[in-house]
Amino acid sequence: MADVVASRPAPAVKRRLRNYLVDRSLQLRYVIFVTVLSAVIMGTLTYLIYAQMHKATAMLAGALAADDPQSIVGDLQQNDQRLVVVMALVGLGLIVVLTVSLIVMTHKVAGPLYKIGTYLDEITEHRLPQIHAIRKGDEFHSFFNKFKNMTDALEERARRDVSVFREVLAACEKLPGSTSGELGHALAELRALKGKKEAALPGS
């Protein structure tokens, strides 16, 4: 069957920040994990660098104690403190960048999965969904195309069944006793089945 995913483009929706968390449970789990891990790494790195700088400061202050120790030690300690502040700001900036980047990246995964899950819910309720193409930049395009082809095949089969039911009903309703007896009962069931098939079609 021809790939017709692009024939039904997704409605134009602006990507706003609040729309990036389409599956909070999935996305926030990874965001929190990476954020905490980044904070631990940056905190550990900052502490190790500060510890080395502080050790070097103490050694240098001891070696120059005969000169102007108060001024030297004060300057070195201020440098150590400034280093901690700079490292903390860099770490905070890195965490923010990683968090935002991860939200965007997980959105490109969670968005298509959320949409497919919605379509599967409709199929479970015996309704064939009208499939729209996922947005440019999202993941799972190949899988989504196959899913679209599957639903197209189901829709084509359902329309063919409805057409056959109509032909059978039109032919049988001309027979004597088509409104009573076993034939009438069978035709009533066939009409009900045809109605369910029609109601399941997209746009019904």
Side-chain angles (χ1 to χ4, degrees), residues 1-3 11 22-23 27 29 53 57 73 78 81 85 91 95 132-133 158 163 179 182 187 190 194 203:
M1 182 179 292
D3 188 353
V22 295
D23 190 337
Q27 293 177 258
R29 185 163 63 247
M53 292 290 294
T57 298
V73 173
Q78 287 182 358
Q81 293 173 356
V85 173
I95 291 173
H132 296 285
S163 178
T179 58
E182 293 184 2
L187 292 179
L190 189 59
K194 180 179 74 71

Side-chain angles (χ1 to χ4, degrees), residues 45-61 75-84 87:
L45 183 61
T46 300
Y47 172 77
L48 292 175
I49 293 176
Y50 174 76
Q52 290 297 321
M53 292 290 294
H54 184 71
K55 182 178 179 180
T57 298
M59 292 176 61
L60 186 59
D75 291 341
L76 292 176
Q77 288 179 345
Q78 287 182 358
N79 289 335
D80 293 346
Q81 293 173 356
R82 280 195 292 267
L83 175 64
V84 172
M87 289 292 295

Side-chain angles (χ1 to χ4, degrees), residues 4-5 11 14 18 50 53 55 62 65 71 81 85 92 106 125 149 155 157 170-171 175 182-183 187:
V4 292
V5 174
K14 292 183 178 180
R18 66 174 180 271
Y50 174 76
M53 292 290 294
K55 182 178 179 180
S71 177
Q81 293 173 356
V85 173
L92 180 60
T106 56
E125 296 172 358
N149 291 338
E155 180 180 344
R157 184 180 303 173
L175 298 176
E182 293 184 2
L183 179 59
L187 292 179

